[in-house]
Structures are given as structure tokens and as C-alpha cells.
Amino acid sequence: MVIKPRLKGGLALTNHPIGAKEFVKRQIDYVKSQDKYEGPKKVLIIGSSSGYGLATRISLAFGAGAETIGVAFEKGVEGKRVGSAGWWNTIAFNEAAEKEGLVSKNFIGDAFSMEMKDDVIKFIKEEFGGKIDLLIYSLASAVRTDPIDGVTYRSALKSTTKDITGPTINFEKEVMEETTMGVATPDEIRSTVKVMGGEDWKLWIEALDKGGVLSEGFKTVAYSYLGPKVTYGIYKEGTIGAAKRDLEHTSDVLNDFLKEKYNGEAYVSLSKALMTKASAVIPIFPLYAALLYKVMKEKGIHEGTIEQKHRLLTQMVYGNNPVIDEERRLRPDNWEMREDVQAEVEALWDKVTPENFKEISDYAGAREEFMQLNGFDFDNVDYDADVDLDELAKLKP
Ligand code: NAI
Ligand code: NA
């Protein structure tokens, strides 16, 4: 079967397993080109199969020699359907890790369930040396079934103030178009907090603590985003912003608990805007990202997911140059948020039109990044070659 890209707005309907291998390889190559670092030895990553969670796993394994457990929600081959990009990323990661003698174990399923927590804890106890040093919380999800009340909550990407209309990029049609983000009901805000807030992170820490699998000095970091003024309406003041504030509050609660019991730490880290499966579907965000890339690349300070996470880990979480704000948040988004960067992005934002957006933004770069998340647009992958799905179907993460 020859696999071609098919898009629907900001969603990729297909992905390329061979391209996924290249996607993972390039991130590994980056980490290997950098100095090794002293980091954690045993790590659990929730949301390990794509975006920031995958990059974190790659940095920790190939940069610090960490053994990793990944939890992700992904699908394998079903009939003529190729499976999800995160499925192939995980298989590619495993293959590369195994070659270097790095232990990597995966749990594919629902991280929000108690069953998943129990399975992971059992594995840590019986086969992973009994304790973990670090938990990275990098989930992006639209639904969560609360394991305690059994109710399924759906997150909404909406405003909490007023209707927000603004331009975005449609990668399917390759046009800039207006999108409107409606106002959330109180119920939609509450549901989004249920899905993307800190409740599940806290349940993980409580379960791991009860299971006795946290080491002395244990750390945990959850990923969040704040963003600049131009995206406040859709992000900071949106439903997702409400959820992220809940996550920040949870980090303080967890930090107190972990400090007391393990001499440990809990942080939220605010990352840079990047194209991922999760961010590509946020209204307005892709255009902001394309303008931001233009400015950051010109200034020589652009980072992809791997550079961003490698800097967070080597400089901040396991280094001596943490950038922390007055709200105790780690700030690897500090280059994105620089005043000169934002002033130039704002100037471009005022000038951008459906006619000029491909020239004045880094449209090509943002689109390439989006395609590469799904294994496409690598110059050294032959996309006309036949992919043997039956063979691939035998592989499991
Ligand atoms: P992503 O979509 O690439 O990754 C999400 C991960 O969560 C995947 O591994 C997926 O399998 C996993 N997942 C989703 N539902 C699950 C479930 N029920 N059980 C187990 N695993 C599940 O997204 P991305 O962008 O890497 O997002 C991760 C975190 O980083 C989010 O908290 C996001 O807000 C944050 N972030 C993203 C930024 C961006 O620009 N993309 C910027 C700053 C923060
Ligand atoms: Na992730």
C-alpha cells in the first residue's frame, strides 16, 4: 500500500510509519549531538507517544541514559487503516532504545483509568526496580472518564469571555481563514478543567505514593502553555487556560506533599508554542505559530519540540540555570515571550492577510512541521514505495 497524506483542517487522517521512524531518528540524532547529562534513571511519561512527551522521553533516554515507561492512547493497524502516528513513533522509539540497551516499556490505553495506574505500579514494583525518579505529565486529550464518579467529561476549546473571531491557517486547504471561537457555558468550563486540569495528575501521584514506588528526591513536571497577548482570548482566557490554572494549583499542592515526604518537587513547565497533534486544532494558534517561527528563526532562537525539552531538562530540571517565575513555574517559553520577539510578532499580526500570509509568516516551516508529525515531508523517505501493512501489523509498541 502506498500511503499519501490526507488532511481535514488541522487533523491528519493518515500517517506514514516509515516517516515516523525518521521523525524519531532526527530527534535522537539531535540529542546525541549534544553533551550527555546526569538525570533521572527511572522515568514514567504520561503522554509519551508524540509531541512534547515523546521529545522528553528521547532526551531522557538518549541524553541521560534513563529507563522509561511510556503511557499513551494510540491505535495499531486495523484492516486498511494504518494506525496512529503515536503508535509508530513508539515502535520507532523502542527499536532505537533497544539497540542501545535502554529499557523502554509501553502501556497503550487510558491513562485516566485506575486500572492503568494499577498496571503501571505493578510493573514498576515487579520489573522496573521498584521506584521511579521522575514523572512527566504530558497529556492532551478531549475526553476523560472520571474513575471515581464514572462520568465522561468532554473538553471544549472555547472562550470564557466573549466570541473571539480571528484568522487561522487551514493546512488542508492551505488558506488563511477566519475562525470564531464561541463562549463556553459554565458546564463546558468545568468539563474542560476535569479533562485538562490537574485532577488526574494528582491521582497518579497519590496512587504511586500509595504503591510505594516513589524514590527519595522524586520530581514531577506537568506541561502547560500560557502564550502572549495575541492568543489570550483563545488560550489564557479560554477554557483551556482555566484548566491550565487548575494544573498550576495542583503543582503547588503536590509540591508541598512531595517536599515533606520525599524531599521531592512538583512543577508546571510553560513550553513554547509548537505544531503538535493537539495544538494544530486550536483556532488561531497555527497562524500565531507560523508568525512566531518566522521571527524566532530570523533571530536564531527557534526551537523544535526536541530542542525545547532538551533545554528544559538539561538547563532547568536537572541543570543549574532554571528560569522560574514568581508563580514557581518553569519557563522554557522565555525566548518566545521575549519583548522583542512579541513586538515583531504583533507587527506581523497586524499586517497579515489571506493574500500575504505565505510570504510574511513561516508558513512553509509550520506546515512542514505539521506534516512531519505525521511522518510526511521528509526528503529522505520514499513516499511512492509500497508499505507492507501486514508486516507492520506484527509490530507492537
Ligand atoms: P500531543 O497530542 O502530541 O500528545 C498528547 C499525548 O497524550 C499523546 O502521547 C497521546 O497518546 C496521549 N494521550 C491522550 N489521551 C490519552 C489518554 N486518555 N490516555 C493515555 N494517553 C493519552 O500533544 P502535545 O502538544 O505534546 O501536548 C502535551 C502537553 O504539552 C499538553 O499539556 C499541552 O498543553 C502542552 N503544551 C503544548 C504546546 C504546543 O504548542 N503544542 C505548548 C505548551 C504546552
Ligand atoms: Na505529548
Side-chain angles (χ1 to χ4, degrees):
M1 183 168 120
V2 172
I3 305 172
K4 296 287 173 196
R6 275 199 300 130
L7 306 182
K8 190 165 189 291
L11 266 184
L13 303 178
T14 57
N15 67 85
H16 205 283
I18 312 302
K21 223 171 156 161
E22 183 63 21
F23 178 62
V24 170
K25 180 183 180 293
R26 288 189 185 191
Q27 296 186 58
I28 294 172
D29 288 347
Y30 170 77
V31 172
K32 285 190 171 171
S33 76
Q34 306 292 307
D35 292 339
K36 296 249 182 273
Y37 62 101
E38 276 296 317
K41 294 292 162 237
K42 308 263 184 181
V43 181
L44 171 58
I45 296 158
I46 318 278
S48 55
S49 60
S50 62
Y52 274 139
L54 174 66
T56 302
R57 188 180 200 181
I58 290 171
S59 170
L60 289 165
F62 293 90
E67 300 185 359
T68 57
I69 302 172
V71 178
F73 195 85
E74 302 294 347
K75 274 208 176 85
V77 178
E78 278 172 23
K80 288 232 163 304
R81 305 183 70 161
V82 68
S84 56
W87 178 270
W88 302 115
N89 292 341
T90 304
I91 287 169
F93 174 86
N94 273 352
E95 281 179 8
E98 199 176 308
K99 266 196 205 131
E100 313 236 336
L102 293 162
V103 171
S104 78
K105 168 77 180 174
N106 297 292
F107 290 84
I108 304 297
D110 183 12
F112 295 130
S113 70
M114 278 330 244
E115 221 184 326
M116 177 62 84
K117 295 174 177 74
D118 292 343
D119 289 350
V120 169
I121 290 165
K122 185 164 182 281
F123 176 79
I124 296 170
K125 279 185 172 161
E126 293 175 1
E127 294 176 59
F128 201 64
K131 301 227 191 265
I132 56 167
D133 314 315
L134 173 69
L135 178 138
I136 295 290
Y137 195 80
S138 185
L139 277 190
S141 178
V143 287
R144 169 173 173 238
T145 301
D146 180 332
I148 293 157
D149 65 19
V151 175
T152 299
Y153 297 90
R154 272 168 210 288
S155 63
L157 283 171
K158 289 196 174 178
S159 155
T160 62
T161 49
K162 55 179 189 324
D163 279 0
I164 307 277
T165 297
T168 197
I169 292 176
N170 180 326
F171 284 120
E172 178 196 357
K173 301 191 177 121
E174 303 213 51
V175 296
M176 177 178 138
E177 60 189 18
E178 288 287 306
T179 47
T180 296
M181 198 182 211
V183 183
T185 62
D187 207 46
E188 285 174 320
I189 299 173
R190 209 174 67 91
S191 294
T192 307
V193 172
K194 269 291 212 182
V195 179
M196 287 295 287
E199 195 171 83
D200 179 62
W201 184 25
K202 186 155 173 275
L203 287 175
W204 268 102
I205 298 294
E206 285 169 357
L208 293 161
D209 167 56
K210 230 173 98 199
V213 298
L214 300 181
S215 66
E216 182 68 14
F218 169 81
K219 293 179 203 275
T220 184
V221 183
Y223 293 159
S224 183
Y225 183 66
L226 176 62
K229 261 203 311 228
V230 291
T231 64
Y232 272 6
I234 51 149
Y235 209 99
K236 183 171 179 233
E237 292 161 4
T239 47
I240 187 81
K244 293 303 191 184
R245 273 192 299 283
D246 183 71
L247 194 70
E248 288 170 18
H249 170 70
T250 304
S251 86
D252 291 333
V253 173
L254 293 179
N255 194 56
D256 290 344
F257 170 73
L258 292 171
K259 183 149 278 159
E260 170 91 28
K261 186 154 177 190
Y262 298 98
N263 193 25
E265 290 173 308
Y267 288 104
V268 156
S269 164
L270 304 186
S271 308
K272 168 184 189 279
L274 275 170
M275 298 311 309
T276 65
K277 181 178 169 184
S279 69
V281 296
I282 301 177
I284 300 175
F285 194 90
L287 180 62
Y288 167 71
L291 293 171
L292 178 73
Y293 287 13
K294 175 80 173 186
V295 173
M296 291 187 83
K297 283 182 184 176
E298 267 171 17
K299 291 180 184 288
I301 53 171
H302 178 73
E303 292 172 305
T305 39
I306 191 66
E307 290 86 358
Q308 171 80 166
K309 288 301 135 183
H310 197 64
R311 182 160 67 90
L312 169 72
L313 293 161
T314 58
Q315 305 285 305
M316 303 189 195
V317 183
Y318 295 99
N320 299 319
N321 299 304
V323 183
I324 299 186
D325 66 18
E326 61 285 357
E327 289 169 72
R328 222 182 49 78
R329 300 173 300 194
L330 295 169
R331 301 301 300 265
D333 66 341
N334 56 338
W335 297 348
E336 170 183 2
M337 301 300 269
R338 256 168 48 176
E339 245 171 66
D340 59 321
V341 171
Q342 285 305 319
E344 288 180 38
V345 171
E346 277 177 41
L348 290 175
W349 191 264
D350 291 340
K351 272 206 315 226
V352 72
T353 66
E355 290 71 41
N356 71 13
F357 80 99
K358 286 189 183 169
E359 286 77 52
I360 77 166
S361 80
D362 181 29
Y363 172 75
R367 185 181 163 84
E368 181 182 72
E369 201 173 83
F370 175 72
M371 296 304 285
Q372 290 185 345
L373 297 174
N374 301 296
F376 296 112
D377 282 14
F378 287 109
D379 50 13
N380 55 344
V381 173
D382 178 4
Y383 293 103
D384 296 322
D386 193 57
V387 175
D388 188 343
L389 265 199
D390 294 335
E391 268 311 301
L392 284 172
K394 294 179 189 155
L395 302 173
K396 297 279 172 321

